[in-house]
Amino acid sequence: MRSQGSKAGTVAELVQARWGDDRPGLWFEHEVLSHHQVAAGAAARAALLSDLLPRSAEPHVGVLLDNTPEYPLWLSAAALAGAAVAGINPTRRGPELARDILHTDCRVLITERVHLALLDGLDLPGVRILVTETDAYGELLAPYAGAKPGEVRLRGVEPGPDARMLLYFTSGSTGAPKAAICTQGRLTAAGLSLADHFALRPQDVHYVCMPMFHGNAVIADWAPALAAGGGVALRRRFSASGFLADVRRYGATYFTYVGRAVQYILATPPSPDDRDNPLRLGFGTEAGAVDAARFEERFGVRLVEGYGSSEGGAAIQRMPGTPPGAIGRAAPGNDLAVVDPETREECPPAEFDERGRLLNGALAIGELVNRGRTAFEGYWRNAAADAERLRAGWYWTGDLFYRDADGFLYFAGRTDDRLRVDSENLAAAMIENILARYEDATAVAVFAVPDPVAGDQVMAALSLREGAAFDPAGFAAFLEAQDDLGTKMAPRFVRVVRQMPVTATNKVHRVGLRRAAFCCPDPVWWRPPGQCAYRRLTSGDVEGLLAEYAAQGRDDVLGR
């Protein structure tokens, strides 16, 4: 069943289609708003924004909020007005936070009391700050309560598909985050495509627990709900312990995930009634085949791994016959190839053993590029970053993949998560998939530690199930039993963490892990050169290692 407005070309049209719809459309804690109330609230905020923004200013509004009703209200308001929302990351601090707001030319910033302290002392010239859930905010909105969708537009121009809708920051391992542009047309197309692909219906409830300043929550969860006419249930911040209770409370049928969220949910204590829930589908990235199978077995919910670069430059679509572990084939309009970034030659197809394990990873893994037309719309005022993405007429995703003989694509990690051990290229994600079989581990991250002489060594961070203690002999025996663990893949160092450090978008904080390396407060186990057994790393070992780096003139590579 297609929803009213499903042929729309803009987000504004999708919002207008909900006017007069009195079905419940937005849930948050103990609050429920109808679709009509959401559309009316968006119209009021659009009218307010039109009066607040100087005519000469860029039509951008910054949103520094948790997942509260104000977030989708301002997304909808921006769409109606022909403005763009810049999602501001609340984990940024000081000058970096100010830089994000000013870089995206936000003259209005929407925030809440819980985040006001982040703005103390920041120099934000020309930026008007509105604080939700205050008397002043309510008084400011009151005169616009009768506004209707489409009545007020910035500069009197109806927003078209090319109107900027989102400026969302992409996380990188180096340099300041880049603000990727997403237009109303691209966001609408993404919402309609996902709604159609997953047969999403008006009666579906989309659980939004990933942060809305990130593209995943807006593009893959909120937009398809709007396109299908479904409802949205918000969680202020992701909570593994609150996940199942929320799903039951709101009757959620669909959710999205990124990074390690699935692992955290699996780490919660199991219950005999875990499968008693209304969910029918989870869509996201980087859950891993092992955890996806565990999730389906425990909760009875299928997880579909997808891939679409945040910037819109490449997309992979799952289809019938997709092998286990694969994401799918190139989506229509994409000419995707896996290439060696140095030679720009296409990598050979992957070879597997009888159990489906990759045999020729060093040759088959390369960077995914789109050699055809791309939906990439650029970064806001960052020509250098645009040029880095578009090289030699191709869109370079920055992600590692391998392809089988039938053209199915498998994710192998990020290009900056590649390790070079004894002149052999390894992908961190491939090693993680193997270590995820270790039964005591609830989360695994693999990253490079510079070798004292040249190249890298493999380091792993493990979060263990409650009550488990790291058994060095047992872990070594586990590694020995993994016949697809290459001779260069076994971790030299193992850091045992109470909880895996993650970014605000629930992706592993690899930059922090790499920066700390083996000089960290957590217990670290290691295999000294020439030894197979793991033993506890001591302060004397650390001093010896640092001396070795210094002797080789590589003490700067640790980033200390």
Side-chain angles (χ1 to χ4, degrees), residues 204-293:
D204 278 313
V205 176
H206 295 233
Y207 181 52
V208 181
C209 56
M210 296 293 102
M212 295 192 75
F213 68 78
H214 189 255
N216 169 276
V218 176
I219 297 173
D221 214 345
W222 179 75
L226 190 64
V232 169
L234 299 176
R235 175 81 188 196
R236 177 179 283 275
R237 296 176 187 172
F238 171 73
S239 167
S241 61
F243 176 82
L244 197 55
D246 277 354
V247 163
R248 289 168 173 160
R249 175 183 182 182
Y250 300 123
T253 54
Y254 173 92
F255 77 105
T256 61
Y257 58 87
V258 295
R260 302 299 167 182
V262 168
Q263 288 185 337
Y264 292 138
I265 296 170
L266 288 170
T268 59
S271 174
D273 64 349
D274 279 341
R275 294 174 71 92
D276 181 16
N277 68 76
L279 279 175
R280 63 184 181 89
L281 180 69
F283 176 58
T285 62
E286 300 179 45
V290 173
D291 285 338

Side-chain angles (χ1 to χ4, degrees), residues 69-100:
E70 289 289 341
Y71 216 121
L73 283 169
W74 276 101
L75 285 170
S76 298
L80 292 174
V85 164
I88 307 301
N89 184 344
T91 67
R92 301 272 281 172
R93 294 293 185 271
E96 292 182 342
L97 178 61
R99 177 263 174 197
D100 293 349

Side-chain angles (χ1 to χ4, degrees), residues 27-49:
W27 291 264
F28 175 72
E29 296 177 352
H30 301 291
E31 184 178 0
V32 183
L33 298 177
S34 69
H35 287 288
H36 176 80
Q37 287 174 312
V38 173
R45 286 158 179 79
L48 170 63
L49 185 63

